[in-house]
Amino acid sequence: MAAGSAPTVARPKARLWDAPTRIVHWALVALIGFSWWSAEAGRMEWHRWAGYAVLGLIVFRLIWGVVGSASARFSGFVPSLADTIAYAKTLPIRTRSEHAGHNPLGAWSVVAMLAAISGQVITGLFSVDIDGLESGPLSDRVSFEIGRQFAEWHQWIFSVIQILVLLHLAAVAFYLLYKRTNLIAPMLTGRRAFASDPALSFAPLWRAILVAVFAAAITWWVMGGLRL
């Protein structure tokens, strides 16, 4: 250490993201990319199954946002407008983020992404293609014209998702290069360095398994056209 320089203070790594949250995050990344490719390649059977997988993940994440670990719960990270504005004013300050979870802007981006992906899945369930050969499992609940309208919404919402993904990537780069905060590593390892341990509470594994089974059952029911 050079003379006169301040000693480096060790920043302990603490648990931040649980395994279910990380698995859902990266699985959605992979499946959304695969869904886009399968549709472009005309592999509609693969596209349909990818959509069902996304549906299961979304159902799981929405439930996990209520009964899951502290950092995954919506009640813990959906901010007020005042908090969002106050945080936005701190963006020019080049300091590390110390939020034990999503910062206010990041929280709203998660809400927007979940809403867009949910809309993408729902519209896909009711969609009908132009020749009526490919359709979602709930398309028999609507007329052909409305099914075609759902198909148009399905394509439009994907454009929204693409914009949200680009904004998300830009935010990750901004925090890494300017705010000196790596947002990717914690979503891989589940841990992040903090000035002090935030001591978050984490849900037990049995609860994640129970929610996963329920999400799978709901997805299977939807795949069958909501028929018992």
Side-chain angles (χ1 to χ4, degrees):
M1 183 173 65
S5 62
T8 301
V9 179
R11 294 167 57 86
K13 286 193 173 183
R15 289 187 69 189
L16 176 59
W17 305 116
D18 58 23
T21 300
R22 288 180 282 136
I23 290 172
V24 169
H25 176 89
W26 293 114
L28 284 175
V29 170
L31 284 168
I32 289 173
F34 181 79
S35 295
W36 170 81
W37 173 82
S38 58
E40 291 294 313
R43 305 280 188 172
M44 297 311 296
E45 186 68 20
W46 294 359
H47 183 77
R48 186 182 300 110
W49 280 100
Y52 293 148
V54 171
L55 171 61
L57 291 171
I58 288 296
V59 172
F60 178 92
R61 185 63 184 89
L62 292 177
I63 299 173
W64 199 243
V66 178
V67 304
S69 302
S71 56
R73 294 197 178 195
F74 302 134
S75 61
F77 72 76
V78 177
S80 65
L81 179 59
D83 289 339
T84 304
I85 294 174
Y87 178 77
K89 292 178 179 180
T90 69
L91 288 179
I93 303 174
R94 197 170 188 178
T95 57
R96 291 178 182 268
S97 173
E98 289 292 336
H99 282 84
H102 296 292
N103 63 60
L105 292 178
W108 284 119
S109 72
V110 171
V111 171
M113 187 66 76
L114 287 176
I117 296 174
S118 297
Q120 179 78 349
V121 171
I122 292 171
T123 53
L125 295 175
F126 290 92
S127 292
V128 179
D129 69 356
I130 191 64
D131 55 13
L133 296 178
E134 295 289 345
S135 57
L138 303 182
S139 60
D140 60 342
R141 307 299 178 91
V142 298
S143 66
F144 176 80
E145 291 75 17
I146 295 178
R148 288 299 302 146
Q149 183 64 65
F150 272 110
E152 292 181 12
W153 290 336
H154 190 67
Q155 295 178 354
W156 180 81
I157 293 174
F158 184 67
S159 298
V160 175
I161 292 175
Q162 289 177 303
I163 293 172
L164 291 174
V165 168
L166 290 175
L167 290 174
H168 180 74
L169 293 175
V172 169
F174 171 77
Y175 275 88
L176 180 62
L177 300 175
Y178 186 79
K179 303 284 279 185
R180 294 171 292 182
T181 302
N182 189 333
L183 301 179
I184 300 176
M187 192 54 72
L188 290 169
T189 66
R191 306 179 73 87
R192 204 184 91 185
F194 290 96
S196 60
D197 190 342
L200 299 170
S201 62
F202 289 85
L205 177 61
W206 65 262
R207 190 180 300 171
I209 294 174
L210 188 63
V211 174
V213 170
F214 181 77
I218 292 295
T219 302
W220 187 262
W221 185 41
V222 172
M223 289 169 58
L226 300 180
R227 294 177 177 83
L228 299 177

